[in-house]
């Protein structure tokens, strides 16, 4: 996580066509965002939107009772949450989490989870919170509290505004401050679900960002009168015009 950006917009090379798109992010003069984490958030959101026509993005934080040198507590937490999501929303669990440790004696975690929006609604965010809290109760010896966030968004394919909103709010996970401090010996600072995208649906995720595609419009042969003669057009002349149009179509087909 060495590369950091301090620009208010992040320039991401779009997965389809290679176009560069600008996405809003939360930065300050003193704290930028890690590019690697920004890319992980974008990757998971794009992958989930390639599988589902709309997705629900939910934010929450997890606090622990005590410091741990690894992320085993979070791995067990995610395993339980994933099973519940798959069973109740017919969905894979897309996620990115980051580990942070500032002045407190123990670390905490920030989460962005993404689920199938065709089976969920905005109110489903509270059910996800409740389930996360239930899992925390079971693991009460390790997890002290689930912090609910209001940054929950429903994103539909092609909705650039909602897409940018999730990236902007999710960029809080990528903030430079509190990363890398007191890092556990056997722990990573962040992780993602690494959902495999549906390559056939990737162009539909954000059509506005895709490069324009030349469309060939089929039309009737253009029939005009000659300047030198005022004679009516014959069938032979019409066939000639049609042959020219057919030849043009063949050129496009070869290209």
């Amino acid at each position: 996580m060495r590369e950091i950006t301090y620009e208010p917009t992040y320039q991401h090379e779009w997965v389809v066509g290679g176009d560069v798109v600008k996405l809003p992010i939360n930065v300050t003069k003193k704290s930028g965002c890690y590019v690697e984490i920004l890319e992980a958030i974008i990757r998971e959101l794009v992958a989930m939107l390639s599988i589902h026509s709309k997705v629900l993005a939910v934010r929450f934080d997890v606090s622990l009772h005590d410091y741990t040198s690894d992320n085993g507590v979070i791995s067990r937490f995610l395993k339980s949450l994933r099973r519940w999501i798959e069973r109740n929303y017919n969905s894979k669990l897309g996620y990115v989490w980051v580990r942070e440790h500032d002045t407190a004696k123990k670390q905490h975690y920030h989460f962005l989870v993404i689920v199938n929006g065709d089976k969920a609604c905005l109110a489903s965010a509270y059910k996800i919170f409740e389930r996360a809290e239930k899992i925390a109760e079971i693991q009460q010896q390790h997890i002290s509290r689930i912090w609910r966030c209001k940054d929950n968004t429903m994103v539909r394919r092609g909705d650039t505004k909602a897409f940018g909103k999730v990236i902007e709010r999710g960029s809080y996970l990528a903030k430079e401050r509190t990363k890398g401090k007191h890092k556990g010996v056997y722990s990573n600072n962040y992780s993602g679900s690494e959902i495999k995208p549906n390559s056939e649906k990737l162009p539909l995720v954000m059509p506005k960002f895709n490069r324009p595609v030349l469309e060939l419009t089929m039309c009737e042969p253009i029939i005009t009168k000659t300047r030198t003669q005022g004679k009516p057009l014959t069938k032979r002349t019409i066939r000639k015009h049609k042959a020219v149009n057919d030849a043009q179509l063949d050129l496009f087909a070869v290209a």
Side-chain angles (χ1 to χ4, degrees):
M1 297 194 305
R2 289 172 292 182
E3 186 178 355
I4 301 172
T5 178
Y6 293 91
E7 297 296 327
T9 56
Y10 174 62
Q11 296 190 18
H12 168 73
E13 185 174 324
W14 190 240
V15 67
V16 179
D19 292 329
V20 174
V21 295
K22 294 182 178 181
L23 299 167
I25 57 175
N26 283 310
V27 295
T28 65
K29 292 181 180 179
K30 295 183 178 181
S31 180
C33 285
Y34 283 102
V35 169
E36 190 175 341
I37 298 178
L38 289 174
E39 286 292 337
I41 294 170
I42 296 170
R43 182 176 63 247
E44 299 301 338
L45 182 56
V46 168
M48 288 294 287
L49 279 170
S50 73
I51 298 171
H52 307 290
S53 62
K54 59 180 179 177
V55 298
L56 175 64
V58 180
R59 272 274 295 112
F60 60 83
D61 301 331
V62 178
S63 296
L64 303 188
H65 282 295
D66 302 299
Y67 169 83
T68 61
S69 61
D70 60 24
N71 298 310
V73 173
I74 293 304
S75 296
R76 292 190 292 274
F77 170 81
L78 273 172
K79 185 177 181 180
S80 298
L81 185 62
R82 183 186 292 109
R83 285 199 299 260
W84 185 82
I85 292 291
E86 290 175 350
R87 184 170 62 250
N88 288 271
Y89 294 103
N90 188 29
S91 170
K92 292 182 178 180
L93 176 61
Y95 68 83
V96 174
W97 60 255
V98 296
R99 172 184 173 129
E100 295 188 353
H101 197 165
D102 196 4
T103 57
K105 293 182 180 180
K106 53 187 179 296
Q107 78 269 22
H108 61 275
Y109 296 84
H110 298 296
F111 274 82
L112 174 67
V113 301
I114 309 167
V115 301
N116 179 7
D118 294 319
K119 298 291 183 179
C121 60
L122 278 174
S124 301
Y126 295 98
K127 293 183 179 179
I128 294 173
F129 289 146
E130 290 174 354
R131 188 61 189 181
E133 289 173 337
K134 185 68 175 178
I135 297 171
E137 289 177 8
I138 297 172
Q139 300 183 16
Q140 59 182 341
Q141 293 181 346
H142 304 286
I143 298 177
S144 61
R145 183 171 179 178
I146 302 293
W147 300 84
R148 301 186 181 194
C149 302
K150 296 180 180 180
D151 303 338
N152 309 308
T153 308
M154 185 70 76
V155 187
R156 291 174 172 79
R157 286 177 184 162
D159 189 342
T160 56
K161 185 177 180 180
F163 189 97
K165 183 179 178 182
V166 172
I167 301 306
E168 182 176 19
R169 293 180 173 180
S171 66
Y172 181 78
L173 277 68
K175 71 181 187 295
E176 177 187 4
R177 186 173 57 85
T178 71
K179 297 289 193 308
K181 294 184 178 181
H182 310 289
K183 183 178 180 293
V185 178
Y186 306 107
S187 65
N188 294 320
N189 276 333
Y190 83 99
S191 184
S193 52
E194 298 184 357
I195 298 294
K196 184 178 180 180
N198 181 342
S199 58
E200 293 182 358
K201 296 295 181 67
L202 278 175
L204 302 177
V205 172
M206 209 59 60
K208 186 177 179 180
F209 293 161
N210 298 340
R211 291 179 176 178
V213 179
L214 177 64
E215 293 184 1
L216 179 63
T217 303
M218 303 294 290
C219 58
E220 293 296 326
I222 300 174
I223 303 174
T224 58
K225 293 183 179 181
T226 61
R227 292 181 180 180
T228 55
Q229 296 180 355
K231 297 180 181 180
L233 293 172
T234 64
K235 291 183 179 180
R236 181 179 178 181
T237 306
I238 294 175
R239 285 197 301 270
K240 181 179 179 181
H241 282 295
K242 185 176 184 302
V244 171
N245 279 269
D246 289 341
Q248 291 173 340
L249 290 176
D250 288 338
L251 287 175
F252 276 100
V254 170

